[in-house]
Amino acid sequence: MRYWLFKSEPHAYSFEQLREDRTTPWSGVRNYQARNTMMEMHVGDRGLFYHSSIPQPCAVGICEVVSAAHPDTTAFDPHSEYYDRRSTPEKPLWMMVDVGFVKPLQHPVTLERMRADPRLVGMALLKRGSRLSVQPVAPHEWKIILELSKTLE
């Protein structure tokens, strides 16, 4: 099993919405590195659901990859904000995975708290300029985040 981080602005799509929906396509990703990351994902991999662009960005829950990467159909829809005329059903340029709700973290783990933990110094999320909506999480980082989620700051 591999681990990932799925970043979303809660006003666009929140963890609570995933809880309600049970599954969702992780569509609209228009970055080649993030697309390639999704192509590495396997059904059953786990992810941290991370709320960004809020006063205290934080990991709030656990989700699971429920489908392998497949073409992102929003790229084919001229009415979608994610439309890309270069991408066609015959030659898709963009991919997505579907993710499912697993459970909320006992306590959210803030970006500030992650940065303060020296064991997470190499985490992709904490690197300068890290803006990707999907990122790998190392197994030891996953364990640390889960450990941190068991207590309040």
Side-chain angles (χ1 to χ4, degrees):
M1 178 184 310
R2 295 182 68 189
Y3 303 100
W4 312 95
L5 182 135
F6 292 85
K7 189 188 296 186
S8 181
E9 297 173 4
H11 71 274
Y13 194 85
S14 69
F15 188 65
E16 285 306 311
Q17 186 65 51
L18 178 61
R19 180 197 300 253
E20 201 174 294
D21 295 344
R22 304 308 296 168
T23 64
T24 193
W26 206 259
S27 61
V29 174
R30 297 297 180 264
N31 174 285
Y32 289 106
Q33 186 177 352
R35 177 205 62 189
N36 293 345
T37 296
M38 286 193 291
M39 291 173 67
E40 294 177 30
M41 294 177 183
H42 298 284
V43 172
D45 285 355
R46 291 290 170 107
L48 292 169
F49 198 105
Y50 182 86
H51 282 163
S52 62
S53 298
I54 58 174
Q56 287 215 343
C58 56
V60 294
I62 297 173
C63 57
E64 180 176 33
V65 176
V66 297
S67 79
H70 54 97
D72 183 341
T73 54
T74 63
F76 315 141
D77 179 0
H79 302 291
S80 170
E81 66 181 297
Y82 302 113
Y83 175 65
D84 184 340
R85 61 177 163 54
R86 301 169 302 149
S87 187
T88 65
E90 299 75 34
K91 288 185 122 180
L93 187 58
W94 302 109
M95 305 298 278
M96 64 182 175
V97 295
D98 296 335
V99 297
F101 176 85
V102 174
K103 66 179 182 178
L105 293 176
Q106 191 171 343
H107 299 285
V109 180
T110 65
L111 178 61
E112 182 180 337
R113 191 163 182 208
M114 290 180 214
R115 283 195 174 124
D117 194 313
R119 300 173 297 170
L120 295 173
V121 71
M123 189 172 183
L125 177 68
L126 306 181
K127 293 182 180 173
R128 186 171 296 286
S130 175
R131 303 186 61 80
L132 296 177
S133 60
V134 291
Q135 305 172 10
V137 174
H140 77 279
E141 296 164 346
W142 177 264
K143 288 177 186 168
I144 292 165
I145 300 295
L146 295 185
E147 173 191 314
L148 293 174
S149 76
K150 293 178 182 175
T151 60
L152 288 171
E153 280 189 77

